[in-house]
Amino acid sequence: MRKLARRIIGPALAVGAVCSLVTGASADDHPGRPEAGIPRLDCPVEDYYPEQPCAPGDDTIVNFGSWFGTSQVGLTGSKVAKQWTKVPLTMLATNALFYYKSHPGQGEVPPGEKINTEFGYLVRAFLVSPKGSKDDYGDSAPIQVRTVAFGSIPVEVTLQVSQERDAAGLPKPLVYRPHDYSMQPPADRPDLYSQVVVDAATIESQLNVRVKKVVVDGVDVGLGDSCQTGPGAKLAVASKELRVDEYNEPPPDGSSNGWTEYLFDPKEYLYGIYGGTLTGTIDIPRFTGCATRSGDDVSPLLTSALSEKGNPVSLRIGALGCNVYDENGSNVPIPPGTNRPDDPKANCLPQTLLNPRIVTVPEEFDTPDYAPGEAPND
C-alpha cells in the first residue's frame, strides 16, 4: 500500500466539448440532488475492483463526499481553414471514486506481468457553465475562432458546446476510467522497488457544437439561437501509456512519493490525481439553422470554414486541487457560474509537491508552427 494515502481519489478529465443540447431543468424537478442542475449519480458495480468504495443502491458516498473540481485548457484546429484555436481555461465539477486492489504476485494484468497493487478511478465530470448560460452545468466557456470562409472572407465565430442531456434536461456525465498498477521488478533488477505502468485513458463522446455569434468581414450578422451541428460531432482523445522504474533509492529531490511522481510531466502524460494531457481528434459535421437577422442562411459559410472530420484536438487538465464544502463539511460540486480556477468560489489551492510541473492550473498549449492536419516541423 505504498503511497496509498496520496492517491485516494482520482482526477477529473475535461474536454472543451461534450454532447447534444436539450432543454434545462429546475432544482424542484429533482429534490435531494447535491446541486441544482446535476443528476444524482449511482454507485456502480465494478467487476474488476471487488473492493467497492460504495454499496450499490446507496448513493451517500457518491453524491455527498466524492465531488471535486479541476481546471482545464485545450487546443483544437480546423484542417479546412488551416487554423488553430485555443480552448479557454475553465472548470469541471467532478465526481471521482477510487478503487484499490492488492494482489502481490497473484494477478497477471496483462498476462506475464506480476501485479502488486492496482489503482483505478471512475470519473464522472460536468462542465461548469459560464454566467449567463441557461443551464447551470453542461455548457463550455465561449470559444473564439478566427478564420476565413471560401478562401478569402475573414470570419470571427463564437462557439459553445454542451454535454448530452437526459430526458429531464440534466447533463449526462462525461465518463472515463484511469488505471495504473505496480509490478514486481524482474529478478535481475535488485535496484528496483517496483515498476509502475500508467495505462492510457480514453474519452469518446458525441458533441453538439453551437454557434453563438458570427462576425463576417467585420460585421455582426445577428445570428439566431438555432445555429448548431446537432449531436453528430464526435470527440475521441487518449493519453499516452507511461512506464516508470521505481528505484529503491529516493529521487534526487528527496521526494518520498517516488519516481513516478518525480518524473511525471503533465504536458506529455496523464497520471492519477495529478492531471495531464490527452490528444486526438474531433469531427465537426455541417451546420444548420444559422439564419441572420436579415434572413440570410450562413450555414454553408460556417460549414465551409469549420466542418471537417479528424480535426486535431488536445486537452490538458490540472491536478486535483479545488474543493467546495457544504455546511456539513461534505464535498459538493463547484458552484454554477464558477468556471475559472481564480474565482474564490472554486477554492482552488496551489500544489505544494516537489515536482514543479504538477500544477492545479494547467499551462495553455503553444500554438504549433504547422497547420492542423499536417506533420509537425522538425
Side-chain angles (χ1 to χ4, degrees):
M1 294 189 182
R2 184 184 186 192
K3 312 301 180 295
L4 175 60
R6 67 182 174 90
R7 300 165 59 194
I8 293 299
I9 303 294
L13 256 205
V15 296
V18 278
C19 303
S20 60
L21 172 68
V22 190
T23 57
S26 68
D28 292 337
D29 294 331
H30 294 265
R33 288 201 321 275
E35 193 74 42
I38 293 181
R40 292 185 72 89
L41 301 175
D42 63 339
C43 177
V45 176
E46 295 289 328
D47 294 336
Y48 195 65
Y49 296 101
E51 294 90 1
Q52 292 289 316
C54 52
D58 180 4
D59 63 0
T60 303
I61 292 177
V62 178
N63 289 290
F64 298 93
S66 293
W67 288 102
F68 304 88
T70 52
S71 57
Q72 63 93 24
V73 294
L75 178 74
T76 187
S78 170
K79 291 196 301 182
V80 64
K82 299 186 181 300
Q83 178 69 42
W84 293 100
T85 297
K86 292 186 177 182
V87 178
L89 183 68
T90 192
M91 294 295 300
L92 291 123
T94 301
N95 192 282
L97 295 176
F98 169 83
Y99 299 82
Y100 169 75
K101 187 174 183 179
S102 176
H103 45 171
Q106 303 303 311
E108 295 187 0
V109 183
E113 295 184 342
K114 299 295 185 178
I115 307 302
N116 289 327
T117 56
E118 295 180 72
F119 297 88
Y121 312 86
L122 172 61
V123 179
R124 292 175 281 188
F126 302 86
L127 289 162
V128 181
S129 300
K131 294 178 180 178
S133 290
K134 180 170 64 72
D135 298 295
D136 289 339
Y137 297 91
D139 296 335
S140 75
I143 302 170
Q144 306 296 329
V145 179
R146 291 178 174 85
T147 183
V148 293
F150 305 114
S152 60
I153 304 173
V155 179
E156 297 182 17
V157 182
T158 302
L159 301 176
Q160 188 177 49
V161 294
S162 301
Q163 289 179 252
E164 184 180 9
R165 296 182 181 273
D166 61 22
L170 298 173
K172 296 181 180 180
L174 175 69
V175 181
Y176 83 108
R177 299 168 184 266
H179 176 253
D180 59 87
Y181 54 93
S182 172
M183 300 185 300
Q184 296 181 27
D188 60 352
R189 293 296 306 273
D191 57 324
L192 298 184
Y193 173 81
S194 66
Q195 292 179 311
V196 172
V197 177
V198 182
D199 287 333
T202 61
I203 298 175
E204 293 187 359
S205 182
Q206 295 296 113
L207 319 174
N208 180 39
V209 183
R210 293 180 289 163
V211 180
K212 307 293 289 183
K213 181 179 180 181
V214 176
V215 177
V216 179
D217 205 13
V219 178
D220 187 343
V221 302
L223 198 65
D225 295 330
S226 60
C227 183
Q228 57 187 316
T229 64
K234 181 180 179 180
L235 173 75
V237 293
S239 61
K240 296 189 296 186
E241 180 188 81
L242 172 63
R243 290 176 175 255
V244 178
D245 288 338
E246 287 280 349
Y247 294 92
N248 289 314
E249 297 298 323
D253 65 0
S255 171
S256 62
N257 286 340
W259 287 87
T260 306
E261 179 190 298
Y262 173 72
L263 296 173
F264 170 62
D265 185 352
K267 292 184 179 180
E268 296 291 331
Y269 302 95
L270 184 143
Y271 175 42
I273 62 174
Y274 300 137
T277 298
L278 304 96
T279 60
T281 60
I282 180 173
D283 298 340
I284 300 180
R286 61 189 295 269
F287 288 86
T288 60
C290 305
T292 69
R293 66 168 68 93
S294 61
D296 295 324
D297 185 4
V298 296
S299 301
L301 182 148
L302 292 170
T303 297
S304 69
L306 301 172
S307 298
E308 180 65 272
K309 290 185 177 180
N311 288 317
V313 62
S314 298
L315 307 172
R316 181 174 295 151
I317 63 171
L320 197 70
C322 306
N323 295 275
V324 179
Y325 306 97
D326 63 12
E327 63 276 6
N328 298 315
S330 298
N331 289 63
V332 295
I334 300 292
T338 309
N339 68 324
R340 284 187 57 87
D342 54 2
D343 188 324
K345 293 181 180 179
N347 196 31
C348 294
L349 304 177
Q351 281 292 341
T352 58
L353 299 171
L354 292 174
N355 182 344
R357 296 184 294 268
I358 300 174
V359 292
T360 304
V361 180
E363 294 185 34
E364 68 176 28
F365 291 88
D366 295 327
T367 301
D369 59 358
Y370 56 91
E374 296 182 358
N377 296 321
D378 295 330

